[in-house]
Amino acid sequence: MKALVWHDRGDVRVDTVPDPSIRDRTDVIIKVTTSGLCGSDLHLYEVLGPFLDAGDILGHEPMGIVQEVGSEVRNVRPGDRVVVPFNISCGTCFMCKQGLQSQCETTQVHEYGSGASLFGYTKLYGQVPGGQAEYLRVPFGNTLPIAVPPEPQDDRFVYLSDVLPTAWQAVEYAAIPPGGSVAVLGLGPIGDMSTRIAAHRGAGKVIGIDLVPERLDRVGARGAHTLNLEEYDGDAIVEAVRDLTGGRGPDSVIDAVGMEAHGATAAKAAQQLTTLLPDRLAARIMRRVGVDRLSALHLAISLVRRGGTISVSGVYGGMTDPLPLLTMFDKQIQLRMGQANVWRWVDDILPLLTDADPLGVDTFATHHLPLDRAPDAYAMFQKKQDGAVKVLFNP
């Protein structure tokens, strides 16, 4: 089959690789019909190379048609249409029963002290072959795949794999009071969808902050207040947000940016330095003394009102990140974060995936491309070119 594989930093290619096969009696093989390109994939493209091997298959946002099932699979059968959550969870352990599928005790990666395994996402999370491919092996066939109707188009449902539950959890964790205010930092796929979900769930004022004009226009067209970060120096952006929130600051802030924020020169240099080291040494350094670019998180701390809540959905990976704990304590900030627990939110989200389309999922993708174009798409998305917000591959 064809699959998008990692070769080196900034070097991903579509190669011919062996087809997946049934390994366990509860495995399922799906023919991938659509797979998304996630902002988290750019961390593999740029930063997390020490935890990848050449030939690793990328991608964690797939859906498709069941082709083959193991002998003990009862809940899906060949021909069924399913979405595959990005976190690999058994559905039956203590953590899964608490709604913490991202911490599944069956698939935790104990070697690295990590939570549940993820599709297509480094040794830190199990080094499981991903879904930017023609076919995908899916474990836990009775509990992991999300069955969806045979119609309409994939765009209606594919975001159940990651974007929708991640954004839903970001808003849930933000604890926006009824009619309250929220600022969303970073208007990529998760930030964009977070603004939509926050408005749908009753936020009185939604403020989107980014520095890409096309992304700001896209979010503004759906009614959010937008601020272009490049138009403000120093603390001026903080004052602008306070002006929009009665001088107090927003009740909640969602950081949808993560480790690769703009404006953190020293941390960026430290990240890039690791790419010059042998992989084993670089991995060891990143796990022990890694630092992130924390501009977005520091801005969130400055923006949120006293007693407010910060929800972090952007991926961070540093082990010695300095945080302004004095300010956080003094402002009595509540902070929630973590990988999305996909299945926890499915029942909340599925009723919204109707022809009424209140979240705009049917037109959410900016690009539909064949898998052969994946290397170009990674470069385009990384450089924020051509208005790219959400790219879907159709193998």
Short mmCIF file of all heavy atoms in Angstrom, two decimals, residues 282-305:
data_model
loop_
_atom_site.label_atom_id
_atom_site.label_comp_id
_atom_site.label_asym_id
_atom_site.label_seq_id
_atom_site.Cartn_x
_atom_site.Cartn_y
_atom_site.Cartn_z
N ALA A 282 19.90 13.43 21.56
CA ALA A 282 18.87 14.46 21.46
C ALA A 282 17.62 14.05 22.23
O ALA A 282 17.03 14.85 22.95
CB ALA A 282 18.53 14.73 20.00
N ALA A 283 17.22 12.79 22.08
CA ALA A 283 16.03 12.31 22.78
C ALA A 283 16.21 12.39 24.28
O ALA A 283 15.31 12.78 25.03
CB ALA A 283 15.71 10.88 22.35
N ARG A 284 17.42 12.02 24.75
CA ARG A 284 17.69 12.05 26.18
C ARG A 284 17.63 13.47 26.71
O ARG A 284 17.05 13.74 27.78
CB ARG A 284 19.07 11.44 26.43
CG ARG A 284 19.41 11.24 27.90
CD ARG A 284 20.72 10.50 28.03
NE ARG A 284 21.07 10.28 29.41
CZ ARG A 284 22.19 9.68 29.81
NH1 ARG A 284 23.06 9.26 28.90
NH2 ARG A 284 22.46 9.52 31.09
N ILE A 285 18.20 14.41 25.96
CA ILE A 285 18.19 15.82 26.38
C ILE A 285 16.76 16.35 26.41
O ILE A 285 16.34 17.02 27.37
CB ILE A 285 19.07 16.66 25.44
CG1 ILE A 285 20.55 16.32 25.68
CG2 ILE A 285 18.81 18.15 25.65
CD1 ILE A 285 21.49 16.99 24.71
N MET A 286 15.98 16.04 25.37
CA MET A 286 14.61 16.57 25.29
C MET A 286 13.75 16.03 26.43
O MET A 286 12.89 16.73 26.96
CB MET A 286 13.99 16.23 23.94
CG MET A 286 14.61 17.01 22.79
SD MET A 286 13.96 16.52 21.18
CE MET A 286 12.31 17.23 21.27
N ARG A 287 13.96 14.78 26.82
CA ARG A 287 13.17 14.19 27.90
C ARG A 287 13.55 14.73 29.27
O ARG A 287 12.73 14.77 30.18
CB ARG A 287 13.32 12.67 27.90
CG ARG A 287 12.63 11.97 26.73
CD ARG A 287 12.75 10.47 26.86
NE ARG A 287 12.04 10.00 28.04
CZ ARG A 287 12.41 8.92 28.75
NH1 ARG A 287 13.47 8.24 28.40
NH2 ARG A 287 11.71 8.55 29.80
N ARG A 288 14.81 15.16 29.43
CA ARG A 288 15.28 15.59 30.74
C ARG A 288 15.31 17.10 30.91
O ARG A 288 15.01 17.60 31.99
CB ARG A 288 16.68 15.01 31.00
CG ARG A 288 16.67 13.48 31.17
CD ARG A 288 18.08 12.95 31.34
NE ARG A 288 18.08 11.51 31.48
CZ ARG A 288 18.00 10.86 32.64
NH1 ARG A 288 17.92 11.54 33.76
NH2 ARG A 288 17.99 9.55 32.69
N VAL A 289 15.72 17.83 29.88
CA VAL A 289 15.88 19.27 30.04
C VAL A 289 15.24 20.04 28.89
O VAL A 289 15.58 21.19 28.65
CB VAL A 289 17.38 19.66 30.16
CG1 VAL A 289 17.99 19.06 31.39
CG2 VAL A 289 18.17 19.23 28.92
N GLY A 290 14.32 19.41 28.16
CA GLY A 290 13.69 20.07 27.04
C GLY A 290 12.94 21.32 27.45
O GLY A 290 12.39 21.41 28.55
N VAL A 291 12.91 22.30 26.55
CA VAL A 291 12.16 23.51 26.80
C VAL A 291 11.24 23.75 25.61
O VAL A 291 11.52 23.36 24.49
CB VAL A 291 13.06 24.74 27.00
CG1 VAL A 291 13.83 24.61 28.29
CG2 VAL A 291 14.00 24.96 25.83
N ASP A 292 10.12 24.41 25.88
CA ASP A 292 9.16 24.77 24.86
C ASP A 292 9.25 26.26 24.59
O ASP A 292 9.81 27.02 25.37
CB ASP A 292 7.74 24.45 25.32
CG ASP A 292 7.48 22.97 25.49
OD1 ASP A 292 7.76 22.23 24.55
OD2 ASP A 292 7.00 22.56 26.57
N ARG A 293 8.63 26.67 23.49
CA ARG A 293 8.41 28.09 23.25
C ARG A 293 7.09 28.45 23.94
O ARG A 293 6.02 28.05 23.51
CB ARG A 293 8.34 28.35 21.75
CG ARG A 293 9.66 28.06 21.04
CD ARG A 293 9.55 28.42 19.57
NE ARG A 293 9.82 27.27 18.72
CZ ARG A 293 9.63 27.28 17.41
NH1 ARG A 293 9.18 28.35 16.81
NH2 ARG A 293 9.91 26.21 16.70
N LEU A 294 7.19 29.20 25.01
CA LEU A 294 6.06 29.39 25.91
C LEU A 294 5.33 30.72 25.71
O LEU A 294 4.55 31.14 26.56
CB LEU A 294 6.52 29.30 27.36
CG LEU A 294 7.03 27.93 27.81
CD1 LEU A 294 7.61 28.03 29.21
CD2 LEU A 294 5.91 26.92 27.78
N SER A 295 5.55 31.39 24.57
CA SER A 295 4.96 32.71 24.38
C SER A 295 3.45 32.68 24.54
O SER A 295 2.85 33.56 25.19
CB SER A 295 5.32 33.25 22.99
OG SER A 295 6.71 33.31 22.83
N ALA A 296 2.80 31.67 23.95
CA ALA A 296 1.33 31.61 24.01
C ALA A 296 0.85 31.37 25.43
O ALA A 296 -0.12 32.01 25.88
CB ALA A 296 0.81 30.51 23.07
N LEU A 297 1.50 30.47 26.15
CA LEU A 297 1.06 30.18 27.51
C LEU A 297 1.28 31.39 28.43
O LEU A 297 0.42 31.71 29.27
CB LEU A 297 1.80 28.95 28.05
CG LEU A 297 1.34 28.43 29.42
CD1 LEU A 297 -0.17 28.17 29.44
CD2 LEU A 297 2.11 27.17 29.79
N HIS A 298 2.41 32.07 28.27
CA HIS A 298 2.64 33.28 29.06
C HIS A 298 1.59 34.35 28.75
O HIS A 298 1.12 35.06 29.66
CB HIS A 298 4.05 33.83 28.82
CG HIS A 298 5.11 33.10 29.58
ND1 HIS A 298 5.43 33.40 30.88
CD2 HIS A 298 5.91 32.06 29.23
CE1 HIS A 298 6.40 32.59 31.31
NE2 HIS A 298 6.71 31.77 30.31
N LEU A 299 1.22 34.47 27.46
CA LEU A 299 0.19 35.43 27.09
C LEU A 299 -1.15 35.05 27.72
O LEU A 299 -1.89 35.92 28.21
CB LEU A 299 0.07 35.52 25.57
CG LEU A 299 -1.01 36.46 25.04
CD1 LEU A 299 -0.81 37.88 25.56
CD2 LEU A 299 -1.02 36.45 23.51
N ALA A 300 -1.46 33.76 27.72
CA ALA A 300 -2.71 33.31 28.34
C ALA A 300 -2.77 33.70 29.81
O ALA A 300 -3.81 34.14 30.33
CB ALA A 300 -2.85 31.79 28.18
N ILE A 301 -1.64 33.54 30.50
CA ILE A 301 -1.58 33.88 31.93
C ILE A 301 -1.79 35.38 32.14
O ILE A 301 -2.45 35.81 33.09
CB ILE A 301 -0.24 33.41 32.51
CG1 ILE A 301 -0.17 31.87 32.51
CG2 ILE A 301 -0.02 33.96 33.93
CD1 ILE A 301 1.22 31.31 32.74
N SER A 302 -1.25 36.17 31.23
CA SER A 302 -1.43 37.62 31.33
C SER A 302 -2.86 38.04 31.01
O SER A 302 -3.40 38.96 31.63
CB SER A 302 -0.47 38.34 30.36
OG SER A 302 0.88 38.10 30.71
N LEU A 303 -3.48 37.37 30.05
CA LEU A 303 -4.80 37.78 29.58
C LEU A 303 -5.92 37.44 30.55
O LEU A 303 -6.83 38.24 30.77
CB LEU A 303 -5.11 37.11 28.24
CG LEU A 303 -4.36 37.59 27.00
CD1 LEU A 303 -4.73 36.71 25.81
CD2 LEU A 303 -4.70 39.04 26.70
N VAL A 304 -5.91 36.22 31.09
CA VAL A 304 -7.07 35.73 31.82
C VAL A 304 -7.34 36.59 33.05
O VAL A 304 -6.42 37.09 33.71
CB VAL A 304 -6.86 34.24 32.20
CG1 VAL A 304 -5.83 34.09 33.32
CG2 VAL A 304 -8.18 33.58 32.59
N ARG A 305 -8.62 36.78 33.34
CA ARG A 305 -8.97 37.58 34.52
C ARG A 305 -8.58 36.84 35.79
O ARG A 305 -8.34 35.64 35.79
CB ARG A 305 -10.47 37.87 34.54
CG ARG A 305 -11.35 36.65 34.80
CD ARG A 305 -12.74 37.09 35.24
NE ARG A 305 -13.72 36.01 35.29
CZ ARG A 305 -13.84 35.15 36.30
NH1 ARG A 305 -13.01 35.20 37.34
NH2 ARG A 305 -14.77 34.20 36.26
#
